Every structure is written in structure tokens, then in C-alpha cells.
Amino acid sequence: MNEHTFGSGHYGPYGGQYVPETLMAALAEVEQAFATYFPTQEFQRELDYYLANYVGRPTPLFRADRLSAHVGGPRIYLKREDLTHTGAHKINNTVGQILLAKRMGKRRIIAETGAGQHGVATATVCALTGVDCVVYMGEEDMQRQAVNVFKMRLLGTEVRAVSAGSRTLKDAMNEALRDWVTNVRSTHYILGTVGGPHPYPLLVREFQRVIGREAKRQILEAEGRLPDVLVACVGGGSNSLGLFYEFMAERNIRKIGVEAGGLGIASGKHAARFATGRRGVFQGAQSYVLQDDAGQINPTHSVSAGLDYASIGPEHAWLHDQNLVEYTSVDDQEALDAFLLLSRLEGIIPALESAHAVAEVLKHGATYGRDALVIINVSGRGDKDVDQARKFLGTRCGI
Ligand SMILES: *Cc1c(COP(=O)(O)O)cnc(C)c1O
């Protein structure tokens, strides 16, 4: 890739560091630490140790025969990030960042969380390494995700309720940035996706690339050739970029990112940034943003909390404009149908986020070609979503 995609913090017109001046030194410190430690053998060895023995990597690449037969075209593989410790890809990043924080001499960690998955993954690595942890979470989300709040507290993390704004993820992130300004000397901020100000989009991408690196090796071993299509859901964009990046030089491999279509694009209640978003600055970076004509952030909606966010990582914006990744969306109902179908066809209950990627293949997989090899990233497991799914699916399916 060229200089736009590595290191500078700019992805074409996107990215950057739109933060208060008081944070610039902190961002520079993180950038410096990453550049210094990440490439070293010692860091890589320690990271590999935790990924193998704590996270449970490599995760399997599973050939989904019944799903393939159902779709009636391509041969479909599932990359099983749902089998990682804590049940989603988020732990790949938090393990990496806690090792970085340790080298930076930081004794305190802060994070923001929406659905609670990143909060739990952060609380987990803080317990593992014995550092203090504060997670900011909107009051609304705390009510919706009470189990994850309890898990974080069980792990020894302090969960701070945010009552500002819509009392959801974006408000929690504002609060975390405010904390960081005040406590920058002692504190590292573990951001959960490939968004926010540089260097986070770069850092998180590099920690998630292990997904694609493994998948490449595994598909070559299983099939003797590279895949034709990669499919992943896109919230902030970390699991998708983690899968896609290793294949970026192979332009003939289709990469499909699936956004949350919510109640339908026409309803306005969705999180499909590439459907109706426009360029803007939000939470530290320039990217596509769902905003009104005055630049106010639009409320978003998705059945899956992890995809329910008004902006998207800046590198995705650039990949979109360059036509290097295709972006599409599926709605709540299609995701719920896929959630049910994957459960019944493969005995795998996916996260509702991941179900969006499955839904895309159910819709369009037959057009990929008969001999196509497809990899779907199952970014997480669905245990956290069973209550939600029961509400929507229970009566219809008689379960
Ligand atoms: C958080 C989350 C997502 C969305 O985040 P990305 O950064 O886009 O990967 C997707 N799937 C699961 C299971 C999640 O927990």
C-alpha cells in the first residue's frame, strides 16, 4: 500500500487528529510507543503468547457445508472469532493495547463502551495485568446491557454512568476523552475500534490484522488457493479491516463490508454511513458521518448495538471512495433471520452484528459464482443477544 494507508494518520482526505490541544501530546506519546515497541521481536513474542494462550488463537476457519448448500452457490467458510476468550474479536485489540500501556508505564486504563463488549474485553485485560480500569458507558446502554455492566464490575472495573446527550456510545466516548485530558500522565485510553483520532485507526487495525493473516494461511491449507469473496459487518470497522487488510493487494478478491440497515434506509433509522452519510468531523477524525444539514449528529438505530454508530473508521471512508471495498447494508429483520438460520444450519449462534454479514451472503451469495470461495467473519458469539432475539423471534418461530 502507499503512504496514505500506513502511518501518517491520513487516508486521503479522511482521518486526522481533531482533538483539544491538551490531547495532542498524549496521542503523540501513544504513536511514539507503538512505533517503538510494536515492531520489536520482544513485543511480538509477548503478544503471540497471550493471543495463543489467553485469547485462544488461532481461531478455526470452519467450512459451513449446510450453509453453503442452503445458499446454493459458493463454498462458505466461517472465521470463528466468536470462539475467542470473551466471545468476540475485541480482545485482539485490548490485549495488544494493554501490552503497549505496560511499556508506556501507564497504571490506569480508561475506555468507552456501547454494547459493553469492548468494555468487557478491556476490563478483562486489566484484571489480567492488574491495572486500574474505568469504563464510561451511557446510562441508556447500561440499562440495555445490564449483564455486561455486571461482568465488568465482577472483573474489578469501575463502570461510570454517562447521563449526557443521548446517554449512549458517543456520549461515553466524549466523557472518556475528557477524563484523558485530566489524567493524561497516568492513563492510557484503550479505544475499541479503527476510529477516533490518529493513531487509533492504525493501532487497532494492526492488532486486528491477525484475523486475516490466519484466514489466509488457513484457506490456503484447506483449499490450496485464495478466497474470492470476504464478508464482514462494519460498525467502527475493526473486525472487517482485520479480515480484509491481509488481502488488500489482491484486487480481484471482493471485500464486502455490511453496515446496519436498521429499519430500512428510507426510514432514516439506520447506521448505514455510506448510504446517506456525508463527510464530516466526529469524535477526533474526518470520515463519513450521519448528520443533518447543520452538521448535528443524526440518531442511529440498529438491532445490534455494536453497529449502531453515526460514523465509521476513516480508512474505510478512503477504501470506499477508492472502490477497494464494497459496502452494503442489511436491515434488522434480515439480520434476525440470518441469526436464526446460522443457529439451525450450523449450530453456531452468531452475534447480531455478525449476523449482518451472514445475511448479506444469504441475499447475494448465489451470485458470487458456483466455484467461489467465501469467508464470512463471525466477529462474535450471540450469547449476549439471546434476550433481544427472543423478543423478536420467539413468537414467530414458536421458541
Ligand atoms: C463491537 C462489535 C462489532 C463492531 O465493531 P467493528 O469495529 O466494526 O468490528 C462487530 N461484531 C461484534 C461481535 C462486536 O462486538
Side-chain angles (χ1 to χ4, degrees), residues 88-90 117 193 233-240 306-307 351 353-354 379-380:
H89 69 289
K90 297 241 166 50
Q117 293 302 105
T193 188
C233 66
V234 188
S238 69
N239 86 85
S240 51
L307 303 184
E353 291 85 0
S354 322
S379 54

Side-chain angles (χ1 to χ4, degrees), residues 92-106:
N92 302 328
N93 169 50
T94 60
V95 162
Q97 286 205 46
I98 202 74
L99 297 181
L100 200 62
K102 192 172 84 175
R103 282 164 178 76
M104 292 165 70
K106 305 294 185 185

Side-chain angles (χ1 to χ4, degrees), residues 7 47 96 123 137 140 168 170 181 198 202 205-206 233 237 244 263 282 318 324 330 333 348 355 359 365 378:
L47 181 59
M137 192 168 185
E140 178 79 24
T168 58
K170 73 172 169 57
V181 169
H198 178 66
L202 167 72
R205 182 193 79 199
E206 291 303 304
C233 66
F244 297 164
L263 301 179
F282 184 53
W318 186 80
L324 290 170
V330 306
Q333 193 56 58
I348 295 169
V378 183

Side-chain angles (χ1 to χ4, degrees), residues 29 99 132 174 177 179 181-182 206 220 236 286 313 316 365 399:
E29 191 187 351
L99 297 181
D132 294 338
N174 288 340
L177 286 167
D179 179 314
V181 169
T182 314
E206 291 303 304
L220 285 172
Q286 176 126 219
H316 279 284
I399 45 180

